[in-house]
Each structure stands twice: as C-alpha cells, then as structure tokens.
Amino acid sequence: MKGIITVLGKDRVGIIAKVCTYLAEQQVNILDISQTIIQGYFNMMMIVDASASTKNFDLLVEDLQQLGVEIGVEIKLQHEDIFNTMHRI
C-alpha cells in the first residue's frame, strides 16, 4: 500500500524529524523523499509504503493531519493511485 505524503509550511527546526519519527513508530517505510526550502517555506514530498503498519490508511491520514497542526505545517497523505489519477494530464 503506497502513499504520497506532502508537507508544506514555514520552515522550522524538527519538521523532518517529527514526521519521520511518527512514520517509523507506525512501521511506515519511506521509499523516496525530497525536500526543499524556498525563502523560508518548507516543502517535502515522500513516497511511502504503509503495508506493514498496524493502523489503517484512514487513521494514518488523520494522525498525520493532527501532527501537522501540532508542528505548524500542513501534512497530507494520499493513496498513490489517487495521487496519480489527480495529476494525470
């Protein structure tokens, strides 16, 4: 079960650490990661494999949204298939 995680917001210390710690605790494997900071704004995109997680995908989505609120960024998790369909030209 692959997913796409996007993280957007003002840059601050610990964003990557907190997101990656949560994913590790949930047995979600990071397959690919890209991040950039442009004029103080943080942008990260991850491709993850959640097939080993004991939480269902919807709970992961909710937890990541809540984590984003706690650290002051917007975090979205989408199924890879939905992401691909939405971005198909």
Side-chain angles (χ1 to χ4, degrees):
M1 178 181 1
K2 286 186 182 176
I4 308 296
I5 295 174
T6 56
V7 182
L8 302 168
K10 288 207 54 115
D11 188 32
R12 61 188 311 173
V13 173
I15 296 171
I16 296 172
K18 290 180 181 179
V19 173
C20 290
T21 298
Y22 171 80
L23 294 174
E25 290 170 350
Q26 303 308 317
Q27 300 299 311
V28 176
N29 189 34
I30 299 168
L31 303 174
D32 202 353
I33 183 172
S34 172
Q35 66 93 25
T36 188
I37 300 166
I38 300 172
Q39 295 185 5
Y41 290 93
F42 179 85
N43 180 20
M44 180 168 64
M45 183 172 173
M46 307 168 107
I47 300 173
V48 298
D49 179 357
S51 59
S53 179
T54 57
K55 284 195 175 181
N56 72 39
F57 203 84
D58 292 335
L59 284 177
L60 292 172
V61 169
E62 290 176 20
D63 284 355
L64 285 167
Q65 286 175 341
Q66 181 58 40
L67 177 60
V69 170
E70 292 170 14
I71 62 176
V73 297
E74 181 180 338
I75 304 176
K76 291 185 180 180
L77 169 60
Q78 297 176 301
H79 279 282
E80 181 184 41
D81 294 339
I82 292 171
F83 183 87
N84 288 335
T85 300
M86 287 175 50
H87 294 90
R88 187 177 302 152
I89 296 177

